[in-house]
């Protein structure tokens, strides 16, 4: 059996809990926050993913399937991404008020989790 489908995003060599005093920065994959366009290490951003059914959620592990957009774990960037439409554009979906509220909650939770696990 040969696998022809290559996944460029799913890298399995991501250690879940490795403590490094000085992380080697150069090899980290970079992503850009869709709101403020700042490029950061992928792990510093949160991924918002649109599932195949059209549901948006914050993908903490960065591995959910679907179309994803990266944001800083910062409410200001979420607000900006919502207000300027960058998030909707990146995900190719209209974001209604209910969904926006849910993303606010999920992003805040993700940001908190990031801080406590850092
Ligand atoms: Zn940002």
């Amino acid at each position: 059996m040969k696998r022809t489908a290559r996944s460029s995003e799913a890298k399995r060599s991501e250690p879940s809990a490795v403590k490094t005093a000085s992380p080697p920065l150069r090899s980290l994959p970079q992503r850009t926050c869709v709101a403020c366009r700042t490029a950061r290490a992928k792990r510093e951003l949160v991924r918002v993913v649109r599932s195949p059914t059209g549901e948006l959620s914050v993908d903490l592990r960065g591995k959910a399937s679907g179309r994803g957009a990266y944001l800083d774990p910062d409410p200001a960037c979420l607000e900006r991404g919502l207000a300027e439409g960058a998030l909707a554009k990146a995900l190719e979906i209209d974001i209604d008020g209910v969904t926006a509220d849910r993303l606010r909650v999920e992003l805040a939770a993700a940001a908190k989790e990031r801080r406590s696990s850092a």
Side-chain angles (χ1 to χ4, degrees):
M1 273 259 240
K2 241 183 177 181
R3 285 179 144 216
T4 48
R6 287 203 306 172
S7 169
S8 58
E9 233 179 320
K11 284 199 176 152
R12 58 209 161 92
S13 62
E14 221 164 305
S16 51
V18 175
K19 283 178 188 168
T20 39
S22 52
L25 287 170
R26 59 210 152 93
S27 61
L28 286 176
Q30 297 252 312
R31 290 295 183 273
T32 304
C33 171
V34 297
C36 66
R37 316 299 302 171
T38 301
R40 295 182 198 281
K42 193 177 160 189
R43 66 200 309 173
E44 290 177 26
L45 297 167
V46 293
R47 182 170 181 254
V48 178
V49 67
R50 187 194 71 188
S51 77
T53 54
E55 282 259 296
L56 294 192
S57 60
V58 171
D59 173 24
L60 280 175
R61 291 166 181 275
K63 303 207 186 227
S65 63
R67 190 178 179 85
Y70 289 86
L71 272 177
D72 290 305
D74 181 344
C77 279
L78 176 61
E79 291 309 319
R80 186 172 167 183
L82 290 169
E84 294 179 0
L87 193 58
K89 198 169 163 188
L91 294 167
E92 295 176 347
I93 193 173
D94 285 329
I95 300 173
D96 60 26
V98 175
T99 303
D101 275 346
R102 196 159 44 76
L103 289 179
R104 286 181 182 105
V105 171
E106 291 189 14
L107 185 108
K112 202 188 266 182
E113 188 156 312
R114 284 295 157 85
R115 272 197 297 274
S116 62
S117 67

